[in-house]
Amino acid sequence: MVSRLDWPDGDRGAQLVAIARRAEKAGFRDIWLMDHYRQIRGVGRPWEDLPEAYTALGFIAGATESVRLGALVTGITHRPPIVLGKMVATLDVLSGGRLLLGVGVGWLAEEFDAIGVPFDQRGRRTDDHIAAMRALFLEQVMDADDRDALHDRLREDLPRLAAMADRVLAVHGDKHPDVLPALARTFH
């Protein structure tokens, strides 16, 4: 897992690609990047460079051939479900089916504050986002009254997610009571 880019000055993209290619050549099965908006405590300093995970994974995908790619772990409530679905589907299609998707509830209150998502509503929002993502992955139609109902017009624009359903790892989170319904399910 690449969790810091605290390397000597130089071309960060070239450095990241070199690491990915060496890992692939050495037989590593996966390359994982953190999906946070800024560096997290316990790993690095808040002001350190931290690339957006899916943009960086796309960059790595274009420079590698077989290594699987993942963000460890994607805060499912940090992006609208239609945006996250489009991002992961596109990366999966363009990488030849190499994306692994792990999603979680999120745990860093400061990160929720920074992106304007209420931390105390993450459990309910996780349930809503899982329902929307399930509809995308499994091509289910959601009730029109559902808060995050997806319109057919938008769904038709997405690359097919159903083929990726077997590579969705799990939903994880903490012991907050409103999170438990989401923790009991996976996408398939």
Side-chain angles (χ1 to χ4, degrees):
M1 180 169 102
V2 179
S3 58
R4 294 180 75 180
L5 272 69
D6 58 342
W7 312 317
D9 288 339
D11 183 340
R12 296 280 194 249
Q15 293 169 332
L16 187 59
V17 164
I19 289 170
R21 286 179 175 158
R22 283 195 304 266
E24 186 173 56
K25 186 176 181 178
F28 280 75
R29 186 180 62 188
D30 308 332
I31 294 177
W32 295 88
L33 301 178
M34 291 193 320
D35 187 30
H36 288 281
Y37 290 98
R38 59 176 244 190
Q39 187 56 270
I40 59 173
R41 62 181 174 265
V43 175
R45 299 174 302 256
W47 60 86
E48 287 181 351
D49 290 338
L50 185 66
E52 193 283 317
Y54 288 97
T55 304
L57 288 169
F59 191 72
I60 292 169
T64 58
E65 296 178 7
S66 60
V67 69
R68 297 183 308 182
L69 309 162
L72 190 64
V73 65
T74 297
I76 194 167
T77 61
H78 292 175
R79 297 173 185 91
I82 191 82
V83 172
L84 180 59
K86 180 81 170 185
M87 289 168 52
V88 299
T90 299
L91 180 55
D92 190 59
V93 168
L94 296 179
S95 71
R98 294 188 285 145
L99 181 66
L100 298 168
L101 177 62
V103 298
V105 174
W107 59 272
L108 186 58
E110 296 87 11
E111 193 166 48
F112 280 82
D113 290 343
I115 61 174
V117 174
F119 184 72
D120 63 344
Q121 294 178 18
R122 70 190 187 283
R124 180 192 58 80
R125 290 177 58 89
T126 295
D127 284 344
D128 293 346
H129 281 61
I130 287 171
M133 293 293 291
R134 285 182 63 99
L136 289 170
F137 275 88
L138 303 176
E139 300 186 44
Q140 296 171 341
V141 177
M142 299 176 68
D143 294 337
D145 295 336
D146 200 343
R147 281 184 299 268
D148 291 341
L150 302 175
H151 302 291
D152 289 337
R153 182 180 58 77
L154 294 174
R155 281 185 40 237
E156 290 170 4
D157 184 45
L158 293 171
R160 283 184 124 9
L161 290 168
M164 191 182 156
D166 65 333
R167 288 182 313 242
V168 176
L169 301 181
V171 175
H172 87 271
D174 60 18
K175 296 179 182 177
H176 197 278
D178 65 343
V179 173
L180 293 177
L183 302 182
R185 296 185 295 280
T186 61
F187 284 107
H188 49 105

